[in-house]
Amino acid sequence: MANLVFGAGIWAFGRIVDRYATDGYGPERSTRAMLELAAQVDGLEHLDINHPFDEPDLSAASVAALLDGLGLRARAVTPHLYTREFTRGAFTNPDPAVRRAARDRVHAAVEAAAELGAGYVKFWPGQDGFDMPGQADYARLWELTVDAIRELATAHPETQFAIEYKPKEPRVRITLGNAATTLLAIQDAGVDNVGIVLDFGHSLMAGETPAEALQLVHRQGRLVSAELNDNWRGWDDDLPVASVHLFETLEFLLALRRVGWDQPVLLDQFPFREDPVAALSHSIETIRRLDAACERIDVDALRDAQERQDAIAAQKVLWAAV
């Protein structure tokens, strides 16, 4: 793709914690410190930024000034809809007061996104779902999810929203767990300003072929953002790009070319044990190398092999490029 532009989630530069190393895998960092690290990654220009910010007294105007001073831009704002207060759900919480709090958090994120000049506000409802059979009324979960999407999108018609689906974690089963289900929820909501963030790793976890899912979402006019990373399919490892799935990543980049993607490609990584600047720099270098390989692909030969569904011929074309 011409003029590849890159972004990342700000969380890649923060203190990463899991259920074992509860004291974190690295030092606690301020928003300023995270932004300064992001600015050190060659080619990184955009950030997906969580809201509320880590420092409660930090204003969106202050963050905007920090970004501007470091030559960075906000690509997205992601409200915290998955933290402790939402452990039983955000949009689907059984307590109406908590559901209202989740909506209020999105309203605040919309204001911050406007101040930062972000392209979209992201829904990642990771706590909306269930854990065990019989625990939830599935129809009710669906109704609450769709109602929240509709209400928030309608309240902010000038704001672009995007849902990042994921099959599990933190909830054992997340309601919006794959591309098709998320498209159905958006269709049921009946709104035009809600789309999808196609996260490569989440698509792998969902048992999808990411390139196929991306083209399906694009066909429905709902592709808002594309994120790259990698995992072993069983968990959201958020590893560097193509560290496990080389050819699936190459195919994903080909799909982005096919749909004419000209927006930033975001990195959603959690470098638990690696230096974040080195890990994200490596991913950007990898994407650039694979993009160069895409340039070398004999498109006519690949198309001919695909028309015949000749798997070996298609593999030979891809291997020749790599």
Side-chain angles (χ1 to χ4, degrees), residues 1 214 218 223 253-263:
M1 287 172 284
L214 183 140
H218 176 265
L223 184 62
L253 291 173
L254 284 173
L256 286 174
R257 284 170 169 254
R258 182 168 183 170
V259 304
W261 189 251
D262 60 359
Q263 298 299 308

Side-chain angles (χ1 to χ4, degrees), residues 159-178:
T159 299
Q160 176 68 60
F161 294 96
I163 301 167
E164 183 173 345
Y165 65 84
K166 185 180 180 181
K168 63 181 180 180
E169 193 213 9
R171 215 66 201 242
V172 178
R173 290 288 185 270
I174 295 175
T175 298
L176 299 179
N178 56 51

Side-chain angles (χ1 to χ4, degrees), residues 184-199:
L184 280 173
I186 296 170
Q187 177 179 295
D188 274 11
V191 288
D192 295 328
N193 57 326
V194 179
I196 288 179
V197 173
L198 205 301
D199 181 290

Side-chain angles (χ1 to χ4, degrees), residues 42-275:
D42 181 41
L44 190 68
E45 300 178 28
H46 297 258
L47 287 170
D48 182 343
I49 299 173
N50 293 119
H51 191 268
F53 307 121
D54 285 350
E55 298 92 331
D57 58 344
L58 190 63
S59 69
S62 297
V63 174
L66 287 171
L67 288 167
D68 187 59
L70 292 166
L72 297 168
R73 298 174 61 188
R75 169 66 172 149
V77 170
T78 300
H80 287 294
L81 296 175
Y82 40 84
T83 43
R84 187 167 61 181
E85 60 267 49
F86 303 116
T87 54
R88 292 187 180 274
F91 298 154
T92 64
N93 197 287
D95 185 343
V98 177
R99 297 200 298 269
R100 285 194 297 273
R103 285 168 164 79
D104 289 343
R105 185 152 290 183
V106 174
H107 293 314
V110 169
E111 291 183 12
E115 184 77 40
L116 295 173
Y120 61 93
V121 172
K122 184 170 77 181
F123 295 145
W124 185 64
Q127 300 282 12
D128 284 335
F130 58 94
D131 308 303
M132 303 179 201
Q135 176 183 1
D137 178 339
Y138 308 126
R140 179 60 173 158
L141 292 182
W142 185 260
E143 177 185 303
L144 288 171
T145 297
V146 170
D147 285 351
I149 293 169
R150 181 187 300 115
E151 178 185 314
L152 290 164
T154 303
H156 303 283
E158 302 304 316
T159 299
Q160 176 68 60
F161 294 96
I163 301 167
E164 183 173 345
Y165 65 84
K166 185 180 180 181
K168 63 181 180 180
E169 193 213 9
R171 215 66 201 242
V172 178
R173 290 288 185 270
I174 295 175
T175 298
L176 299 179
N178 56 51
T181 301
T182 308
L183 286 170
L184 280 173
I186 296 170
Q187 177 179 295
D188 274 11
V191 288
D192 295 328
N193 57 326
V194 179
I196 288 179
V197 173
L198 205 301
D199 181 290
F200 183 88
H202 293 181
S203 185
L204 289 175
M205 284 180 70
E208 299 172 343
T209 297
E212 180 185 30
L214 183 140
Q215 290 179 86
L216 171 66
V217 171
H218 176 265
R219 183 181 181 89
Q220 299 302 314
R222 299 294 184 176
L223 184 62
V224 173
S225 189
E227 297 182 352
L228 269 169
N229 47 36
D230 212 338
N231 62 48
W232 292 88
R233 282 193 180 270
W235 198 256
D236 191 28
D237 306 308
D238 282 327
L239 300 173
V241 174
S243 50
V244 182
H245 293 91
L246 172 63
F247 280 102
E248 287 90 341
T249 306
L250 184 66
E251 189 180 40
F252 191 80
L253 291 173
L254 284 173
L256 286 174
R257 284 170 169 254
R258 182 168 183 170
V259 304
W261 189 251
D262 60 359
Q263 298 299 308
V265 174
L266 269 60
L267 302 173
D268 185 0
Q269 287 182 226
F270 273 81
F272 285 86
R273 299 167 184 85
E274 293 76 40
D275 175 82

